[in-house]
Amino acid sequence: MLDWDGLRYFLEVARTQRVSAAALRLGVQHTTVSRRIQTLERELNTRLFDKSKATGFTLTEEGTRFFAYAEQIEGTVLKAREEVSGQSQTLSGHLRVGSTEGFGSYVLAPLMMDFQRRYPALTLDIMPVPRFISLSKREADIAISLERPQRGPYLCTKLLDYSLKLYGSKTYLSQCAPIRSKAHLAAHDFIGYVEELLFSDRLRYLEDIVPTDRVIFKSTSVIAQYHALLQGRSLAILPCFMAEQDARLAPVLHDEITITRSFWMYCHEDLRHSTRVMALWDYLKKSVQLNKALLQGNSGQLLYLEGDAL
């Protein structure tokens, strides 16, 4: 009979590829993790990991096959614990959501605080980061991304299309000649991404609008770009849900320059039976639809679902 704790330790090491990182997430000593992995390998009579200083703990072929079964067991145990403890009725416990940086900070964070107000027994983590969230490593329960996952045992839905426009500070625009066409952009400097560090090709759009030699400030962070824009020395493309909430900014060539991208929400397939995960899933789906005008640049106000019931 395999020990469930042994499976938990195995899953954490497989996801983090480091005994020390797995120990930190499990709240135990790294020697305990090593001992549990060794015990599990003896019980299975096989080597689950290849170990090296360069790559850490990587799954062997047998380990990869065992990982799939261990994840299924984990999902069953989590669902059983939720049902037996009554969490499915009271919505207690913990949830973590990973998201793109701008959306996570300017839309998701306030919405999740409203969700927590409705379910005060829940605790929430939000991870707005300029990279993809790994659900296979259980970095989050729900991920919101610019791209639909191409493979994996995921439940996935398109949240909404959103718009990006060219913006400048009102102070800057009042001091320069009126911008009436794209040709006038040649006289201005711009803010953009560090192209070689882009985590998604969906963030490539500035190069189609302006000469690259006029990009004087670059950052991997859209929030850093936003704050640089507020200094009033250049122009930048920003998501409307960020810029339209700031009265200090104004769109440039509003009817001529509009970029459309999409947000996708997904979670691990085995979480479709988790009541608290699906409650947050439904809440976010409804809330984002409610804020269609903000995400598409037709409003500057974030709206919340009415009442306490979803």
Side-chain angles (χ1 to χ4, degrees):
M1 179 70 69
L2 290 176
D3 177 25
W4 162 239
D5 272 346
L7 295 183
R8 288 198 306 122
Y9 284 69
F10 164 75
L11 287 168
E12 290 299 338
V13 173
R15 288 163 180 159
T16 62
Q17 295 185 287
R18 292 288 188 276
V19 166
S20 57
L24 186 63
R25 291 178 63 166
L26 290 164
V28 299
Q29 296 295 320
H30 72 277
T31 53
T32 302
V33 177
S34 295
R35 188 171 61 252
R36 291 280 190 169
I37 295 300
Q38 291 170 6
T39 300
L40 183 60
E41 288 182 327
R42 284 197 303 271
E43 290 175 346
L44 293 172
N45 193 31
T46 190
R47 193 175 80 256
L48 298 171
F49 295 99
D50 287 322
K51 311 169 187 68
S52 76
K53 290 183 179 179
T55 59
F57 281 58
T58 57
L59 290 169
T60 62
E61 184 178 345
E62 293 81 5
T64 300
R65 288 202 298 267
F66 185 67
F67 181 81
Y69 289 110
E71 276 206 312
Q72 293 178 24
I73 296 170
E74 179 187 48
T76 301
V77 170
L78 291 175
K79 182 176 184 297
R81 184 173 65 185
E82 185 175 274
E83 293 292 338
V84 172
S85 67
Q87 289 182 6
S88 59
Q89 284 73 45
T90 61
L91 286 191
S92 62
H94 184 73
L95 288 171
R96 174 176 286 183
V97 179
S99 171
T100 55
E101 185 188 26
F103 184 76
S105 299
Y106 284 81
V107 177
L108 189 58
L111 289 179
M112 286 185 65
M113 285 303 296
D114 179 62
F115 181 78
Q116 202 280 331
R117 175 188 64 81
R118 297 163 187 263
Y119 301 105
L122 280 171
T123 57
L124 303 172
D125 288 350
I126 180 172
M127 297 166 54
V129 292
R131 64 175 178 85
F132 287 115
I133 297 296
S134 175
L135 294 190
S136 64
K137 294 182 178 180
R138 298 289 179 167
E139 289 184 339
D141 299 301
I142 293 175
I144 298 174
S145 177
L146 297 173
E147 300 176 14
R148 181 172 187 162
Q150 296 301 307
R151 57 185 178 274
Y154 301 133
L155 175 66
C156 180
T157 185
K158 182 178 179 179
L159 275 179
L160 198 70
D161 289 335
Y162 71 99
S163 298
L164 305 97
K165 294 182 181 294
L166 185 63
Y167 288 92
S169 73
K170 291 180 179 178
T171 300
Y172 175 76
L173 294 174
S174 68
Q175 295 171 350
C176 65
I179 303 173
R180 296 193 175 93
S181 70
K182 285 186 178 182
H184 293 159
L185 297 178
H188 297 269
D189 293 324
F190 293 84
I191 295 166
Y193 281 101
V194 182
E195 292 186 10
E196 61 268 29
L197 297 178
L198 287 175
F199 69 92
S200 171
D201 284 339
R202 303 300 291 164
L203 296 174
R204 296 186 186 278
Y205 35 69
L206 188 60
E207 61 192 25
D208 296 331
I209 298 172
V210 301
T212 55
D213 61 353
R214 298 312 301 256
V215 182
I216 62 165
F217 180 88
K218 297 179 180 180
S219 175
T220 57
S221 165
V222 69
I223 294 178
Q225 294 174 37
Y226 161 77
H227 284 290
L229 183 66
L230 289 175
Q231 302 310 303
R233 298 185 56 199
S234 49
L235 304 174
I237 290 177
L238 291 178
C240 295
F241 59 76
M242 290 178 61
E244 294 296 332
Q245 293 192 68
D246 193 327
R248 295 170 293 179
L249 300 178
V252 176
L253 300 176
H254 178 77
D255 296 325
E256 195 171 348
I257 299 178
T258 299
I259 298 161
T260 301
R261 294 292 187 266
S262 303
F263 283 126
W264 296 86
M265 181 168 65
Y266 55 103
C267 70
H268 204 280
E269 177 70 28
D270 60 18
L271 291 179
R272 68 162 59 240
H273 303 295
S274 170
T275 307
R276 64 177 182 270
V277 171
M278 288 298 101
L280 179 57
W281 177 282
D282 291 341
Y283 170 83
L284 292 177
K285 183 78 173 176
K286 293 176 182 177
S287 295
V288 171
Q289 289 292 330
L290 179 65
N291 283 284
K292 180 178 180 179
L294 174 64
L295 268 76
Q296 298 185 350
N298 300 315
S299 169
Q301 182 180 3
L302 182 67
L303 303 177
Y304 298 91
L305 296 173
E306 294 183 359
D308 293 328
L310 298 183

